[in-house]
Amino acid sequence: MEGMIFAAGLGTRLRPLTDRKPKALAEVGGKTLLEGVLGRMREAGIGRIVVNVHHFAEQVEEFLQREGWLADGVVVSDEREELLDTGGGLLKARGLFTPGETVMVHNVDIYTEMDLRALAKTHGEGFATLAVRGAAPGRGLRFGADGRLKGWENSMTGERKVVGDGFEEAGRYGFCGVQVVSSEFLSGMKGRGRFSIIDEYLVQAAEHEVRMFFYGGRFLDLGTVEAVREAEGWMTQGV
């Protein structure tokens, strides 16, 4: 299995931490976000890992070179010219993966204690598997009792994107920013340019099984300074 880390974001919510460096190099407990995800993916047995770059791209490349990651199977997908969002970023990077390989994709700014090996095992030979948790108000995914994606909704605005039958009965979940996709998913991507990977899942779920992996442990979106401080508190307390 290979991997990709979405590390190209602007990190505007993390200011002032990202005024002079990229979000991926913001630190939690003395370790950069990028280093933390790289380490966890390596521990899970992930080999080749693609990291996309945009904001302060040269700093990310220098970090990867200095810390020996570029010599250890990490490859850069360059989005300097245009930030492509998650779907567009994966589409641009797909030629960097070994043909036929399954790929685990992980946002750089997500803190979890998720068992990535268990996620990979659950995916098995599947088409696409999304790690999800209990949903908070706002945007969420709907999965049926059979574990298949049925749609997306924003509970605050009432907007819905329905995939086939069973949407009304489906449970509501929050996306964790971690997923596994097959080479078939990659080769069949329909989106072009800048687009969200969630929209791609909704399109492909009409013809293929996009399934869920439930994660009930601790989770933080490290997109704000407050969340970074909370994560550091967890590490300090050892709980």
Side-chain angles (χ1 to χ4, degrees):
M1 181 175 290
E2 298 185 346
M4 180 169 185
I5 300 175
F6 288 139
L10 299 175
T12 53
R13 293 181 300 147
L14 264 178
R15 290 174 177 165
L17 297 182
T18 53
D19 283 342
R20 298 185 179 183
K21 63 182 176 182
K23 173 172 60 177
L25 298 186
E27 294 188 0
V28 177
K31 181 183 295 185
T32 67
L33 301 184
L34 180 56
E35 183 180 5
V37 178
L38 283 168
R40 296 194 70 239
M41 293 183 91
R42 278 287 191 261
E43 290 172 0
I46 307 299
R48 184 181 184 84
I49 301 174
V50 175
V51 177
N52 67 348
V53 298
H54 173 79
H55 188 53
F56 292 117
E58 68 288 346
Q59 291 188 32
V60 178
E61 290 177 323
E62 290 170 2
F63 169 82
L64 293 172
Q65 176 67 43
R66 182 176 66 252
E67 299 300 319
W69 290 105
L70 293 182
D72 190 32
V74 173
V75 180
V76 170
S77 180
D78 195 335
E79 295 182 26
R80 281 179 174 86
E81 292 186 2
E82 182 183 10
L83 187 59
L84 296 171
D85 203 344
T86 50
L90 181 58
L91 179 66
K92 180 178 176 65
R94 69 179 177 180
L96 299 174
F97 302 114
T98 303
E101 278 285 348
T102 300
V103 177
M104 180 178 290
V105 185
H106 198 303
N107 291 4
V108 77
D109 57 355
I110 296 299
Y111 177 94
T112 78
E113 297 168 350
M114 190 182 303
D115 185 341
L116 299 183
R117 287 186 182 272
L119 170 60
K121 183 177 180 180
T122 296
H123 173 81
E125 300 299 320
F127 182 74
T129 305
L130 282 59
V132 299
R133 60 195 178 95
R139 295 173 293 179
L141 295 169
R142 289 283 197 105
F143 285 87
D146 59 358
R148 294 185 62 171
L149 180 63
K150 303 296 183 181
W152 171 96
E153 71 173 345
N154 186 327
S155 64
M156 306 297 288
T157 66
E159 182 184 2
R160 290 180 165 188
K161 298 178 182 179
V162 179
V163 179
D165 299 327
F167 178 88
E168 295 297 339
E169 298 77 30
R172 191 168 176 278
Y173 301 89
F175 180 45
C176 290
V178 187
Q179 60 250 269
V180 179
V181 297
S182 63
S183 60
E184 183 183 2
F185 172 89
L186 292 171
S187 64
M189 291 183 75
K190 306 294 193 298
R192 293 296 181 267
R194 178 185 173 91
F195 63 97
S196 167
I197 197 169
I198 294 298
D199 289 336
E200 184 67 32
Y201 289 132
L202 293 168
V203 168
Q204 296 216 37
E207 299 180 357
H208 301 278
E209 289 192 8
V210 177
R211 307 189 68 85
M212 61 176 275
F213 171 85
F214 184 77
Y215 169 68
R218 294 195 296 190
F219 172 93
L220 279 174
D221 173 353
L222 300 176
T224 66
V225 174
E226 291 75 21
V228 169
R229 299 295 176 250
E230 184 174 356
E232 288 179 329
W234 287 352
M235 295 176 183
T236 300
Q237 296 166 16
V239 298

